[in-house]
Amino acid sequence: MIHTRTPRRRLAAAVVAVLAATGTGLTAPAAAVGAPAAAPSAAPATATAPAVVPYPVGRADLVGAGTTGFMTWTLDDRGHHAVWTRYSDGRRQEPWPGDDLVTVAHASDVAVRVTPDEYVTLRDMTTDQDVLSFSSGVAGRDGRYVGAVGRTAFVKVPHASGGHDVHLLSRGDGGVLADRTVTGLPKDARDPVVRQGTSDTALLTYLTGTGAGARRHWATVDLATAALTKTAPLPGAPDRQPSIALSGGHVAWLESGAGGAATAVVTERGPATGTRRIALPAGVDSVGLAGDWLTYAQSRGYEERNPSPAYAVTARHLGNGTTRKLMDDMTLSAVAPDGALVVQGGTIDGGEGLYRIVPGTGGVPAVTRVASSGLSTKVTLLGHDVPKVVDLDRTGGRFTMVWRLSRSEVEMRVKIRNTRTGETLSDDVLPLDVPEYDPHAAPYTWEGRLAWNGTRDLWTGASDGPYTWEITAKPLNGIGPELRSSGSFTATRKPGLHDYDADGSPDVLSRDAAGRLWIGDTLFSPYADRLDQNPGLLVGGGWQVYDRIEAAGNLGGSAVSDVVARDRSGALWLYRGTGDGRAPLGGRTWIGGGWGTYDTFTGGSDLTGDGRPDLVAADRTGVLWLHPATGDTSAPFGARKRIGGGWGAYNQLTATGNIGGGTAGDLVARDKDGVLWLYLGRGDGTFAPRARIGGGWNAYGHLVGIGDADRDGRPDLYASRTDGNPANVVLYKGTGDWKQPFRPASTVSVYSTTGNDPARNLYL
């Protein structure tokens, strides 16, 4: 099949190859015949079923096919160059190393070189010997090479009437150059081009007429007699070269219609004048012949990004109209000396490479792979770079996974699933062909997040544990099945302060007026520079029995934070965190009685430097007491220690962690006038003298030491408005500077599933 698209190669390298499309040649002085060429080699033995050899790597476009090998224009790290590959052993050679003005004679093992001054050399690649060399001018003044079939070269020579004569140059008896002129061409025939050939026939196209009357024609020329045997006009604009095919019995060409419609016109080569017209799928740009079958396809479908049935190489019987799919895609094609159609393309089973199509049993076209590029026609997974274990804390919560696909023109979707929690993420990947990275790479950067509660566009942090990944890659060109592949990895992550679901991000617990406790999962969005808070999930009811509930940090040595709650009898209870956002707290454990003496208490900060969160409480006389953590859930606090007096001036204490850049956890205290004070921890359970942060803090009902919400390594402060509306919350990001410990308030985006969330009377 001959197609109408121009292969992508450097212009200088394509001068000879595109002569057929331009109808122009190179300036040539008259010159004598070159040195006698070596005698022709013996005819090659009849080819048997060839073994599969490697197809040249890189960008390699088929130029021609012979009995013993094939030629490609190859683009690699050395640039463009012609390469001849032998079928027998895959041996490659450049006919003229370093010369890019090289093409091939149709239906032969002959390479052709045309120098800028129109000196033409034909070389038999089976013997690596020159079989013909001449200057185009030898055939007449301003003669120019226009193609070759086998060992016969064609030269056009202008004559006085404005047309061209066509000369056939070959090596005659005794090595003498034989120069014959084609008979039967119209006098006004001009700009002939050799388009196809068989072992005994050349197919030319030429122009007649001028202006609006210009027409392009095809003609068959008998190589033995140099006589034109048949000619017919071609449709369409005369400056176009439609796809055209030649076989032992037929000539076929392609007519293009409106909207991409295509029609194949087939005529017999004999004296019969009848033709048949065959409607083809839209997009077809290439036709060929294999015995009594017409073949057709849209070329380069392998590279396309839209599906089309025209990409498949299809054969249609010229008699009964039966069709058969032969290949899944094609790039270029050529005709071999034995009439076989040699196609660069691929099949789902055989992959990309070079295939021979010949009439098989009963004349039905048979397809045999003769060279393999190693590329898969269908989408396959070549490998991946997904680590077995990834530390989300070390990578900042994100890392890049890379899958290497046989083709990048796909629609790919990745699904990541935490097999412990069932939380998932599904996202699209667009693996574009980016050579400087890897043309086969499909990278995806996971931000360490999953879909919150299975809800689209709401996100939660990924907790540690086992994960699976699954990719689906659908070929954009529709060639081949969808690729599905999967694997697994393990993520490690340390839960953060105020983290009840072990995802590395803090959570906010709140109680409504009905005594129900809710958990609000948060996740910081670095792109929006905003803390997002997901809709509250119900933890449970009955929490109105407690008059104080406090986040206490990890008291029991587990991976997540715990909660302490005081009932109205003064008993303190421990609720251990579970790490499961759907049931974040386990059953309660009694800590002890007598806690009713305290007006305020707060926990979660390590005040003593032993790595465990401690609790401080102010009694009704204003004395502040330290309850150091033990790490033992059966007795989570040791004997209390008096820190100091005067703490009755404060109506809220909040353990914040180390916000001042010192050596231990710190404390903020709000007085009755709304002034917030900072107490820097010394690391021994005591505090440095207080420092004023600022006033106006009585606008908030609750201050929560939420931990590192924005993941910058510094604890932050979460504040709720006095109206209890869950949407009226803000975040004060920590600075690490005790002189100005917080940045200005930023809004927290609180999402709701009801639009009418109940008011909260407690945040912790």
Side-chain angles (χ1 to χ4, degrees):
M1 290 180 283
I2 299 297
H3 67 86
T4 58
R5 299 184 183 181
T6 303
R8 306 171 192 169
R9 59 173 72 96
R10 185 156 52 96
L11 181 61
V15 169
V16 176
V18 301
L19 270 172
T22 62
T24 61
L26 303 171
T27 303
V33 177
S41 62
T46 302
T48 57
V52 177
V53 298
Y55 195 81
V57 296
R59 185 81 190 195
D61 286 340
L62 179 68
V63 179
T67 301
T68 64
F70 60 93
M71 181 178 286
T72 54
W73 263 105
T74 300
L75 173 62
D76 57 22
D77 55 2
R78 295 189 297 110
H80 287 91
H81 48 97
V83 174
W84 180 264
T85 302
R86 292 198 311 205
Y87 289 129
S88 60
D89 55 9
R91 177 179 176 269
R92 296 173 191 164
Q93 66 183 102
E94 295 182 42
W96 288 272
D99 197 325
D100 57 8
L101 297 176
V102 179
T103 185
V104 70
H106 291 283
S108 73
D109 295 84
V110 175
V112 182
R113 177 178 181 265
V114 183
T115 66
D117 60 356
E118 280 286 324
Y119 195 82
V120 181
T121 303
L122 276 63
R123 177 170 295 174
D124 188 337
M125 297 308 298
T126 62
T127 61
D128 201 26
Q129 297 293 319
D130 293 347
V131 295
L132 184 65
S133 56
F134 63 91
S135 169
S136 293
V138 74
R141 186 172 179 272
D142 294 331
R144 297 187 181 184
Y145 173 83
V146 294
V149 177
R151 299 186 179 195
T152 302
F154 286 67
V155 176
K156 69 176 182 180
V157 179
H159 54 66
S161 63
H164 285 101
D165 288 328
V166 177
H167 291 246
L168 275 61
L169 300 179
S170 59
R171 184 64 59 191
D173 295 338
V176 177
L177 182 69
D179 181 354
R180 298 171 293 154
T181 301
V182 173
T183 59
L185 278 174
K187 283 295 183 182
D188 63 344
R190 68 184 188 280
D191 295 330
V193 176
V194 179
R195 294 290 309 282
Q196 276 286 3
T198 64
S199 59
D200 59 5
T201 303
L203 177 66
L204 308 179
T205 60
Y206 61 90
L207 292 173
T208 61
T210 60
R215 295 291 300 272
R216 187 171 295 278
H217 307 257
W218 64 263
T220 51
V221 176
D222 188 304
L223 295 179
T225 64
L228 185 148
T229 55
K230 195 166 187 175
T231 185
L234 288 167
D239 59 344
R240 294 190 61 218
Q241 288 278 11
S243 175
I244 194 165
L246 173 70
S247 69
H250 299 89
V251 176
W253 64 91
L254 191 66
E255 293 183 5
S256 298
T263 300
V265 183
V266 185
T267 185
E268 295 182 5
R269 285 181 51 183
T273 58
T275 60
R276 67 197 78 185
R277 301 177 62 84
I278 301 171
L280 301 178
V284 167
D285 60 9
S286 179
V287 292
L289 292 163
D292 292 327
W293 295 72
L294 172 76
T295 64
Y296 55 87
Q298 178 178 335
S299 61
R300 299 192 185 276
Y302 185 81
E303 301 169 351
E304 293 291 343
R305 297 190 173 185
N306 293 294
S308 172
Y311 300 148
V313 179
T314 304
R316 177 188 173 102
H317 192 269
L318 295 174
N320 58 30
T322 300
T323 60
R324 291 177 179 269
K325 178 180 175 181
L326 303 181
M327 296 174 61
D328 290 286
D329 74 272
M330 66 88 65
T331 300
L332 293 161
S333 64
V335 177
D338 62 356
L341 189 63
V342 181
V343 179
Q344 176 189 352
T347 68
I348 296 300
D349 294 332
E352 295 296 296
L354 200 65
Y355 291 78
R356 280 173 51 90
I357 300 176
V358 296
T361 304
V364 176
V367 181
T368 305
R369 184 177 57 155
V370 295
S372 172
S373 68
L375 294 177
S376 173
T377 300
K378 63 182 179 182
V379 182
T380 59
L381 181 65
L382 304 178
H384 67 81
D385 182 16
V386 181
K388 286 295 184 182
V389 179
V390 59
D391 185 338
L392 293 176
D393 294 321
R394 185 181 60 82
T395 63
R398 66 200 301 264
F399 73 99
T400 299
M401 311 175 186
V402 180
W403 294 270
R404 298 190 70 253
L405 307 180
S406 60
R407 283 171 34 201
S408 62
E409 296 85 2
V410 300
E411 290 178 336
M412 180 169 150
R413 192 161 184 81
V414 59
K415 180 179 180 180
I416 299 171
R417 182 176 184 271
N418 185 318
T419 58
R420 179 178 63 85
T421 66
E423 295 169 321
T424 63
L425 171 141
S426 295
D427 208 351
D428 294 323
V429 182
L430 297 176
L432 301 179
D433 187 351
V434 185
E436 62 267 24
Y437 180 67
D438 183 339
H440 297 286
Y444 175 72
T445 299
W446 185 39
E447 301 291 344
R449 64 182 188 175
L450 302 166
W452 175 84
N453 206 34
T455 304
R456 182 179 178 181
D457 296 330
L458 293 180
W459 306 103
T460 184
S463 61
D464 65 345
Y467 284 80
T468 59
W469 58 261
E470 177 183 308
I471 60 168
T472 57
K474 180 181 179 181
L476 291 175
N477 59 11
I479 298 175
E482 182 179 85
L483 165 69
R484 289 182 176 272
S485 187
S486 61
S488 63
F489 66 94
T490 298
T492 63
R493 160 174 273 163
K494 293 180 181 179
L497 184 65
H498 237 266
D499 184 5
Y500 298 96
D501 56 7
D503 65 356
S505 296
D507 307 298
V508 178
L509 295 174
S510 61
R511 184 182 64 183
D512 64 24
R516 294 174 298 180
L517 193 68
W518 302 82
I519 181 171
D521 178 59
T522 73
L523 184 67
F524 189 76
S525 173
Y527 306 108
D529 192 28
R530 180 190 67 222
L531 183 65
D532 293 332
Q533 183 172 324
N534 289 319
L537 292 179
L538 182 64
V539 178
W543 289 79
Q544 70 273 19
V545 301
Y546 301 113
D547 62 4
R548 296 293 303 180
I549 308 172
E550 289 291 336
N554 179 5
L555 293 174
S558 64
V560 294
S561 296
D562 306 319
V563 168
V564 294
R566 184 182 67 188
D567 64 25
R568 301 187 190 283
S569 70
L572 194 66
W573 301 85
L574 170 64
Y575 286 86
R576 296 192 63 190
T578 65
D580 182 354
R582 291 163 295 189
L585 300 176
R588 69 178 187 175
T589 302
W590 186 77
I591 294 176
W595 289 78
T597 61
Y598 299 120
D599 265 352
T600 58
F601 58 83
T602 185
S605 284
D606 176 19
L607 305 176
T608 61
D610 61 0
R612 294 190 289 265
D614 306 304
L615 185 144
V616 292
D619 64 23
R620 290 186 174 89
T621 67
V623 175
L624 189 68
W625 300 88
L626 170 68
H627 290 263
T630 66
D632 181 359
T633 55
S634 63
F637 300 113
R640 70 178 187 172
K641 176 183 178 182
R642 188 181 191 275
I643 297 176
W647 290 78
Y650 303 117
N651 58 20
Q652 186 164 164
L653 304 178
T654 304
T656 60
N658 183 355
I659 62 171
T663 59
D666 306 318
L667 195 69
V668 295
R670 185 182 64 189
D671 65 25
K672 294 178 174 59
D673 294 324
V675 176
L676 193 65
W677 301 87
L678 171 63
Y679 284 87
L680 293 174
R682 291 193 173 106
D684 60 358
T686 65
F687 300 99
R690 69 180 187 174
R692 190 178 191 273
I693 294 175
W697 289 80
N698 50 2
Y700 300 113
H702 296 88
L703 303 176
V704 180
I706 194 173
D708 185 11
D710 61 354
R711 293 189 175 180
D712 65 351
R714 295 185 291 267
D716 308 307
L717 187 67
Y718 178 100
S720 67
R721 302 284 181 180
T722 55
D723 60 6
N725 186 332
N728 291 338
V729 293
V730 294
L731 181 71
Y732 287 89
K733 298 177 184 177
T735 66
D737 180 4
W738 68 270
K739 296 178 183 178
Q740 189 175 356
F742 300 115
R743 293 189 177 91
S746 60
T747 301
V748 177
S749 293
V750 180
Y751 295 91
S752 172
T753 55
T754 66
N756 187 25
D757 290 322
R760 270 55 166 168
N761 61 20
L762 178 67
Y763 284 85
L764 59 144

